[in-house]
Amino acid sequence: MTPRIAIEDVTKYFGETLVLDGIDLAVAPHEVVCLIGASGSGKSTLLRCVNRLTDFDHGSIRLDGVTVDDPSLGRTGLQRRVGIVFQSYNLFPTMTVLDNITLAPRRVHRRPRAEAEATARALLARFGMERHAASYPEQLSGGQQQRVAIVRALATDPDVLLLDEVTAALDPELVGEVLAIVRDLKDRGLTMMIVTHEMGFAREVADRVAFLHEGRIVEAAPPARLFTAPEHPRTRQFLQRIIAAGRM
């Protein structure tokens, strides 16, 4: 089976700093892979390379066998097929929820307004946000804003969803509602790569967990194995610190 995402020997420098050091990772259709590791290990940069928000220096990334820089795909086609959600929501404050969600489908993908709005309203209803279609981001809680950001990413019907620490900016009581949405997306079979610091969530939702250290994937395994019997010394050290901090 062709991987949905195939990352091969991907290397990225920021100036003279090596951020990604020969990353290899294959994600199957409908698979959920969580990326864990300390801050600065390269997790978020790797996500941004997958949909070319950040260009990499060496290696290749393929989506269903086609390189992400292939002219036949183009940035517009890539960003339709690979949605991304950030921890800071990135909603436009002067636009309503409905306008935030329909902007890319209408302006970038040239969908008729009626079609884009019908899709947006159906997604809002699915996540219990339909009554907020005319609201502005500042009128919503952090958890509600993050739900809107996820809906916006889903509005182009992507094949892959990238989630970058989507609970990091939330109050603890709001984390659960966002994680419930991610569980629902997994149950619906969406392929996802998720950067997370929520180890319990990674254990529950991931098919595989990849631990990054200094720009490398040093270990990747099903969560039941990685969290209970990690093989690499650096993985064990990281998890011991997480347990000591009460985060697992």
Side-chain angles (χ1 to χ4, degrees), residues 53-112:
L53 286 178
T54 296
D55 290 325
F56 47 94
D57 299 305
H58 179 75
S60 69
I61 299 178
R62 290 180 170 85
L63 176 65
D64 292 329
V66 179
T67 60
V68 294
D69 58 354
D70 191 297
S72 68
L73 193 58
R75 283 190 183 268
T76 298
L78 179 65
Q79 291 171 7
R80 183 194 67 77
R81 295 187 60 195
V82 182
I84 188 166
V85 183
F86 303 97
Q87 62 175 291
S88 56
Y89 324 137
N90 288 6
L91 301 176
F92 295 105
T94 59
M95 291 184 177
T96 66
V97 164
L98 188 63
D99 286 340
N100 264 282
I101 295 168
T102 60
L103 181 64
R106 290 190 296 106
R107 297 283 183 86
V108 179
H109 305 292
R110 304 300 181 186
R111 294 183 183 175

Side-chain angles (χ1 to χ4, degrees), residues 201-216:
F201 170 68
R203 172 180 282 178
E204 176 186 345
V205 78
D207 297 301
R208 280 187 298 145
V209 177
F211 170 66
L212 278 76
H213 176 61
E214 295 182 346
R216 296 182 179 182

